Amino acid sequence: MSSRKKAAAGIVTALVFVLCTAATVSPVNDKFFEIMKAIEVYTNVYKEVNTYYVDEIEPNKLMRTGIEAMVSSLDPYTNYISETDVELARLRQSGKYQGVGAKIEYIDGLPTILTLYKDQPADAAGLKTGDRLLTVDGRETEGYNREQLEEIMRGFPGTTMQLTVDRPGVGKKDISLIRGDVNIPNVPYSGMLADNVGYVALTTFTQAAGKNVRDAVAKLRAENPELKGVVLDLRNNGGGLLNEAVDIVNIFVPKDELIVTTKGKVRDWDRSYSTKNNPLDLELPVAVLINGRSASASEIVSGSLQDLDRAVLIGQRSYGKGLVQNIMETGYGSRVKITTAKYYIPSLRCIQALEYKDGKPVNIPDDQRAVFKTRAGRKVLDGGGVAPDIDLPVLGGKAVTQGLLEEFVIFDFVNDWVTSHPSIDSVADFRFQDWDQFVDFLQRGDFEYTSKAEKALEEALLAAKEEGYEVADQLQAIQKRVDEEQMAAIQSYKDEIISIIEKEIAGRYYYQRGEVQMGLRNDREVQEAISVLNDPARYAKLLKP
């Protein structure tokens, strides 16, 4: 027998010995045996499919499908990051990357510029919000997935990318874009509201978020001696770096205050995070705005300030992400992001959602949540987000307005509107006056907004046809009634929809800063915060048991 065969035989014998021994020693070793068995079965299946499947397959694609299915069965945050996705992951952590400086979303199968960041490469090249990318360096983008698009758009800073875009109202246009470092501001706007109340918007917890918020609050205090309070807006903020969350809490609470404890299976990885610096202000009243899209680090800040009775929370229950992820190297430039712990805020509650459906947290009744107490003795609940102290319902017409947003109807209308409006007044002075034009846009034949009711009707019509029932006339009559009710609902939420349109328009001309400023004008949560911060007795009462 050759030395190579002897070595192989020795390895097999040793493995068999280890597995057999593992099966008889302890439950831990039993689990090790199950793992080794599962790996062997997986390898064999992969090999057989790759060898005998009737059509040619892409081995990497097949393997990725298997890995993604495995990790997605755990929670929405444990996932595989291919080499192509690594830059995107780095962006989410740092806010700085080499790229184009635009948020891109797939609309009708084509990558579309959803948001432009001021003075970044895409903006400097002359790209516009609404541009649909047809080709990148001569390669058509239709049918590409996000990973493939990132692959062809990647490149070194200073290199040039040739784009062909379809611009609403203009048509095809060729653009040269020079890649470069992209810096996305995490505090796009801060300033004074009415009645001596300050405002700071934080959109993401990337590097220096804590410093930027502290600087913004310090500037508001220095420039406004009569400052009565500050509003910290964490709505739609999906989180980011944990240490930045602790630093933001530290602005308003003393040094050495325990803010977050993480606990997982590997006890050596358990951590405690306390404030490290002297606070900026321990007395300034604070109102924090949250909603259903405030998650992770946003919930650390809002939940900790609530647990320490240091701020009043206003809005809707937050998302409910109390999990910690770590990224592990898996070879060939790829990573796997694994949930390794849960985090607990000062009251020792965990705000992690207990159940998911379609990747979204399922609402759990309050009577099924464990009760904890804030430092002052107020009752707070775990399991499924942070509940605000002042609960304001989502603005009316949720189904209608959310449908218009999720189907990019308002986005498409504004794309059309800006083509005939090269400029607008300042954010403070602009008023949208073209409601009838918007209604006409909705009624065009090429407009598609399909409500849940309409989808159900379409499915019923197809089922009836398959089963031989003649109910088309009746269903069409119902469809007509649904259309009428839908337009009536849109009319009833006119003011809210106009506010959304104005915000979208302001973003086109004045970028993130303008969008935030415009949003403040008709913001019910902001008005409630101003009211609370100008009423010391009410503010104090909200923070007492």
Side-chain angles (χ1 to χ4, degrees), residues 23 35 104 148 157 187 205 213 236 249 266 288 294 326 361 364 378 395 402 419 429 437-438 457:
I35 292 171
I104 298 175
Q148 292 167 327
V187 179
F205 287 78
V213 173
N236 303 313
V249 176
V266 181
V288 180
S294 304
N326 281 292
I364 304 296
R378 293 184 296 151
L395 290 177
Q402 289 304 309
T419 60
D429 296 331
Q437 183 180 336
F438 177 67
L457 282 171

Side-chain angles (χ1 to χ4, degrees), residues 90-107:
R90 188 157 68 89
L91 163 62
R92 285 192 288 269
Q93 293 297 314
S94 69
K96 181 176 180 180
Y97 70 113
Q98 282 83 44
V100 301
K103 182 179 179 181
I104 298 175
E105 187 68 56
Y106 274 79
I107 301 176

